[in-house]
Amino acid sequence: MSHSLFPDVTTAELAQRAARVLTPNYRPAPIVFVRGEGARLFDRDGRAYLDMVGGIAVNSLGQGHPRLARVIQHQAETLIHVSNLWLNEPVIALAEWFVSHTFADRVFFANSGAEANEAALKLARRYQTVVRKAPEKTGVLAFHHSFHGRTMGALSVTGQPKYHAGFEPLVPGAVFADFGDLASVERLLDAEGGKVGTIIVEPIQCEGGVNIPPPGFLQGLRQSANRRDIVLIFDEVQTGVGRTGTWFAYEQADMRPDILTTAKGIAGGVPLGVMVAIESVAAGFQPGSHASTFGGNALATRAGLEVVRVIEDEGLLDHARILGKRLGAGLQGLVQKFPLLCQAQRGIGLIQALELRATATATADQIATQVIEKTRQRGLLLSQVQGRTLRLVPPLVVTEAEVDAAVALLAGVLDELGG
Ligand code: PLP
C-alpha cells in the first residue's frame, strides 16, 4: 500500500497547497513526514531524519511502538468513545495509575495541555470561592517567561507578552514574579494584599528557554502557598511522564503541589491532557462544574495507560536519566569546543538545551536559525525556544548511538559556522 494520499504531487507543490488551506499561524518547514521508527522520521521523498524534537516532547515512545500501536488498534476496534454520561474501563485504570503514582487523590481528563491548565485554574478558583468561602482570592501569581497554553485562561497566566498581542483584554487577575526569585514572589503577594488564591508554575520553564530554578525555590513556593492559603499548581505538561527521569519533576524537588497538570508525553501522541488534585481541593468541583466532551475517552486513556506501562516495563525512567546525562555532557562538550557560538548547556533528563550566543555578524537567534536549517539538511531535527536556545526533547526510547550521532551532527554544523 502506498503511504501517500498525494502520489502524483511533489512535496514543493504539497507545501504550497498546505499554505493555501491551513490558517497562517504556523510556519512549517516544507517537509512532509509519512512514517517513523523510534527516534527516526522518514519524509515522503524517502529522506531519514534523527528526531530530537519528538513532536515537541510528545512522542515519548517514539514512532511506531508496537505495543502502543496494538492497543490503539484494539481499542479502536472495540470502543473509542462513550461520553462522561457513563464509564469505560481505560479511564478508571489510568486514573488509578495517577492516584497510585502521584501525590494526588483525584483525576480529570482533558485533551491538551492548555485544557488541563484551564481545568486547574478553574478548580483552584472554585476551591477558593466555594469550599474556602474566600471569594476575594481570585488572583493568580504566575512567572515571567512561563508558558501555559493558548486558551484565554492559560494565555492570561503565560508570562510572555508576545503571545498576548492582539488578544487583550485577557482574563483579569494575573500577576507575574521572577522565576527562581522567592523574594519577588513574596513582594508581589504582599502587594496584592491577600487577593492571590492560586500560584501556577512550571518546575522547569520549558518554552521559556529550559530554565531550571535554584535549589529550594519550589519548596519555598510551597511554604509561601501554605502560609497564605494559596493553591499551588504545577504545570508539568512538558516535564511530566518521565521526561526528567522521574515520573514527574516535582518528585526531585522533595515537595508536593496541590494540583498538577500534564499532557504532551502521556499518550505518546494521542491527544490527552490530565489534571490531578488532592482531595480537599478537588472538592471544588461538583457534578456540572466542569466538563470535556472528549475528556477521558476510552481510546486516549487506553493509549495513556499503555504509555506508562511501557515506560515501566522498559525501564525508561532510568533510561531518560542516563541518556539525559549523556546528551547533557555531549552538549556541554560543544560549549567547551565552540565557545564563540555556544553560551551554555542546561537540562534535566531528556529535556536538554544549548543556548547560543551572538557573533560580530549575527544575533544568537540568527545563529540558532542557521543551526536548525543546516542540521535539518544533514538529517537532524532540532527545535528552538526563545529564539537563541536549541531544545532537545527526543523520545524517551532514544538510543545511545542516536544521542551521540545528534551531538556529532551538531558539532559538524557549529564547526562549519565558524565556532
Ligand atoms: N504548559 C506547558 C508547560 C507547555 O510546554 C505547553 C505547550 O508547549 C502547554 C502548557 C500547552 O499545551 P498544549 O499545546 O497541549 O495546549
Side-chain angles (χ1 to χ4, degrees):
M1 189 176 78
S2 163
H3 285 291
S4 182
L5 293 173
F6 303 93
D8 303 320
V9 183
T10 68
T11 298
E13 284 164 353
L14 205 49
Q16 281 165 10
R17 283 170 64 167
R20 279 199 293 273
V21 291
L22 297 173
T23 53
N25 50 317
Y26 300 112
R27 207 174 10 202
I31 302 177
V32 181
F33 288 113
V34 287
R35 70 186 179 89
E37 287 167 22
R40 302 261 161 192
L41 282 171
F42 301 89
D43 71 15
R44 69 195 299 275
D45 302 309
R47 283 207 66 190
Y49 296 82
L50 182 49
D51 178 16
M52 291 290 134
V53 180
I56 316 187
V58 164
N59 302 109
S60 33
L61 306 186
Q63 302 287 344
H65 194 287
R67 279 181 57 182
L68 183 59
R70 220 175 299 125
V71 299
I72 290 172
Q73 178 173 357
H74 181 254
Q75 196 62 51
E77 286 169 351
T78 49
L79 189 79
I80 292 180
H81 172 90
V82 291
S83 90
N84 290 301
L85 299 174
W86 303 283
L87 292 164
N88 64 72
E89 290 193 358
V91 76
I92 302 168
L94 187 57
E96 285 186 347
W97 183 89
F98 271 97
V99 168
S100 59
H101 286 77
T102 70
F103 64 89
D105 307 300
R106 299 279 175 175
V107 184
F108 172 82
F109 290 105
N111 314 286
S112 66
E115 273 185 70
N117 283 335
E118 289 293 334
L121 293 165
K122 287 182 71 182
L123 177 60
R125 175 76 67 88
R126 285 270 307 184
Y127 168 73
Q128 293 291 5
T129 56
V130 176
V131 178
R132 288 199 60 252
K133 313 247 181 283
E136 74 285 359
K137 282 182 112 55
T138 55
V140 182
L141 183 138
F143 291 90
H144 295 299
H145 305 297
S146 62
F147 186 83
H148 299 295
R150 307 294 193 129
T151 53
M152 286 305 264
L155 183 66
S156 302
V157 296
T158 288
Q160 300 194 55
K162 66 181 176 191
Y163 295 123
H164 297 168
F167 294 114
E168 293 94 350
L170 300 173
V171 178
V175 292
F176 297 92
D178 294 328
F179 188 66
D181 180 355
L182 282 174
S184 96
V185 170
E186 285 296 318
R187 263 197 314 275
L188 257 183
L189 292 175
D190 285 343
E192 290 298 303
K195 282 192 296 204
V196 170
T198 305
I199 295 175
I200 184 165
V201 66
E202 298 157 85
I204 299 171
Q205 285 189 331
C206 302
E207 300 298 311
V210 188
N211 306 322
I212 300 166
F217 174 67
L218 298 171
Q219 284 151 319
L221 278 186
R222 175 73 275 176
Q223 285 153 12
S224 294
N226 287 351
R227 275 196 303 274
R228 300 176 190 251
D229 295 318
I230 291 171
V231 177
L232 180 59
I233 301 172
F234 266 31
D235 176 346
E236 295 223 29
V237 166
Q238 192 157 161
T239 54
V241 201
R243 172 77 30 209
T244 65
T246 48
W247 281 117
F248 297 96
Y250 80 85
E251 296 165 48
Q252 297 175 45
D254 205 20
M255 47 73 67
R256 296 160 166 217
D258 302 309
I259 299 178
L260 177 146
T261 56
T262 197
K264 288 176 178 286
I266 179 62
V270 177
L272 179 61
V274 189
M275 179 204 68
V276 303
I278 57 171
E279 188 74 45
S280 55
V281 172
F285 277 173
Q286 289 93 37
S289 41
H290 191 58
S292 163
T293 295
F294 293 123
N297 81 70
L299 184 71
T301 51
R302 184 65 188 89
L305 185 66
E306 200 62 15
V307 166
V308 294
R309 285 180 174 172
V310 170
I311 290 175
E312 252 154 18
D313 294 348
E314 295 189 2
L316 293 179
L317 296 183
D318 286 344
H319 186 74
R321 254 195 312 273
I322 294 163
L323 276 272
K325 280 215 174 77
R326 192 181 185 95
L327 180 55
L331 297 177
Q332 189 55 45
L334 299 181
V335 176
Q336 246 97 71
K337 194 159 175 212
F338 302 106
L340 299 180
L341 291 177
C342 299
Q343 172 91 25
Q345 169 270 335
R346 299 185 283 276
I348 297 180
L350 283 173
I351 175 161
Q352 292 288 334
L354 181 65
E355 184 177 338
L356 301 176
R357 62 162 98 232
T359 63
T361 52
T363 65
D365 294 26
Q366 286 166 336
I367 302 280
T369 303
Q370 284 172 28
V371 171
I372 285 183
E373 179 63 31
K374 284 182 181 295
T375 52
R376 195 176 70 220
Q377 285 161 10
R378 296 179 185 198
L380 170 65
L381 302 173
L382 298 171
S383 65
Q384 196 171 359
V385 284
Q386 297 298 306
R388 60 169 51 211
T389 299
L390 305 176
R391 170 190 44 186
L392 290 85
V393 277
L396 304 185
V397 295
V398 70
T399 65
E400 283 184 1
E402 287 166 340
V403 161
D404 295 349
V407 173
L409 272 160
L410 199 42
V413 166
L414 291 168
D415 196 33
E416 188 188 311
L417 287 174

